[in-house]
Amino acid sequence: MNDLATYEIFWHFLYLTVFHGVELTADGKYSKAGDRVTPELFIKLLDERRETVKDLFKKLGTVYEKTNAELVLQLLKRQVVEERNGRLMPQSRWIKYGSRVLLSIIEESDADRSAILDGIFSATREELAARAAQAGDPATRARAEKVLRAHDFVYDSPEESSQTAA
């Protein structure tokens, strides 16, 4: 639980820093004092962190691809920035409990993870409910309902609460 609380603080800090384009007070490897934090700077730092983690795992004898490190980095990227019209922008969707996104995908297949993340970051609840209602075959309906449940969990939807209370 402590790790999830730390993740919440960390990703919220990064999100707010990028969203508000915070002015930096000191020089860094990729920036100078007075520069603003941009989505592009965030991506550079995220890519550098990925390489640092890979190097550490190599020294520890851990195979990076057999861990969830890349999943966490990809999720962090989606929580902080998004691509709109071919440009990187601060993420427009505020998620109160970002660790719920991680919890909603951690035990899912790659295909379900992708569908859940697309639903969380790219669709409204109404769109997801319509997809679930219109799904023809059982497999498509099951995935659509899984995405809708994840969306409700992440956004603390009253619809989800009333369904589980019944």
Side-chain angles (χ1 to χ4, degrees), residues 135-143:
D137 64 279
T140 302
R141 180 180 299 274
R143 177 170 285 153

Side-chain angles (χ1 to χ4, degrees), residues 74-103:
Q74 288 299 314
L75 175 57
L76 183 60
K77 177 182 176 183
R78 287 190 84 165
Q79 287 176 305
V80 176
V81 298
E82 64 182 328
E83 191 171 316
R84 278 187 271 147
N85 303 321
R87 288 189 57 211
L88 273 178
M89 307 290 289
Q91 176 56 253
S92 61
R93 291 182 180 224
W94 170 254
I95 298 174
K96 187 174 181 180
Y97 303 110
S99 59
R100 288 185 181 187
V101 180
L102 182 59
L103 291 172

Side-chain angles (χ1 to χ4, degrees), residues 26-94:
D27 292 349
K29 185 174 181 179
Y30 303 110
S31 60
K32 300 283 184 213
D35 287 351
R36 299 251 173 216
V37 177
T38 64
E40 293 78 15
L41 176 60
F42 170 74
I43 294 300
K44 280 183 189 177
L45 295 172
L46 192 66
D47 289 344
E48 181 181 66
R49 178 53 47 144
R50 176 180 290 105
E51 294 310 312
T52 301
V53 170
K54 284 182 177 181
D55 289 345
L56 173 64
F57 281 8
K58 190 174 182 177
K59 288 176 188 172
L60 296 174
T62 302
V63 179
Y64 179 84
E65 292 75 15
K66 291 187 178 186
T67 71
N68 286 320
E70 185 61 31
L71 174 65
V72 173
L73 291 173
Q74 288 299 314
L75 175 57
L76 183 60
K77 177 182 176 183
R78 287 190 84 165
Q79 287 176 305
V80 176
V81 298
E82 64 182 328
E83 191 171 316
R84 278 187 271 147
N85 303 321
R87 288 189 57 211
L88 273 178
M89 307 290 289
Q91 176 56 253
S92 61
R93 291 182 180 224
W94 170 254

